Amino acid sequence: MVTGWFGGEGDDFRLLGTRCSACAAVFFPREDVLCRAPACPGGELTEVPLSRRGRVWSYSDSCYRPPPPYVSDPELVWSPYALAAVELEAEGIVVLGQTVPGLTVADLAVGMEMEVVPGVLNEDTETVWTTWHWRPTGVTA
């Protein structure tokens, strides 16, 4: 989906953020120019793998087709999907993302433990666009 926002395979799959050397603030999406912390004098920004797990902070569903630049075939019937805002364990930042296919808002609860896994945003005969999904911990499918 966006180069440099995630990487790795299987249990090594991670979202990639950046950390400021001056104030230790962590950012996702990554920041490559300057520290976004208002009181920070600025420091070197280094890439850091983020926690794989966190807890649901909030959630919602997407019942309509998003406008461009979202990629989807307008000829296909729209299938709603659940979105989860997950507060990462170590960093304490909240990251929004789709949940794994088949999970609905009825399956989610604030405080529920989730883990980040690779997912497919869209695909055609030539390209598979990958992204991240949130999945309840302990689920392997």
Side-chain angles (χ1 to χ4, degrees):
M1 188 169 96
V2 179
T3 304
W5 282 22
F6 53 85
E9 305 274 333
D11 288 343
D12 291 328
F13 182 81
R14 297 279 194 282
L15 295 175
L16 301 173
T18 49
R19 174 174 285 135
C20 176
S21 63
C23 69
V26 177
F27 304 103
F28 183 85
R30 60 182 303 121
E31 176 58 66
D32 294 317
V33 178
L34 58 100
C35 181
R36 294 189 294 235
C40 181
E44 181 181 345
L45 297 167
T46 55
E47 182 177 279
V48 292
L50 302 178
S51 303
R52 291 194 71 233
R53 293 184 176 207
R55 297 204 174 267
V56 173
W57 184 78
S58 185
Y59 58 91
S60 186
D61 56 6
S62 176
C63 293
Y64 64 92
R65 186 184 313 270
Y70 186 85
V71 178
S72 68
D73 185 343
E75 300 298 319
L76 297 177
V77 174
W78 175 251
S79 296
Y81 55 85
L83 295 165
V86 176
E87 184 175 13
L88 299 181
E89 241 172 22
E91 298 81 6
I93 61 174
V94 177
V95 176
L96 182 66
Q98 292 183 16
T99 61
V100 292
L103 202 67
T104 69
V105 293
D107 302 314
L108 298 172
V110 170
M112 175 183 217
E113 188 176 42
M114 303 288 272
E115 63 186 340
V116 68
V117 295
V120 174
L121 178 65
N122 194 26
E123 59 185 307
D124 62 25
T125 56
E126 298 174 9
T127 307
V128 175
W129 289 272
T130 57
T131 188
W132 68 92
H133 285 159
W134 292 111
R135 176 178 73 191
T137 57
V139 176
T140 57

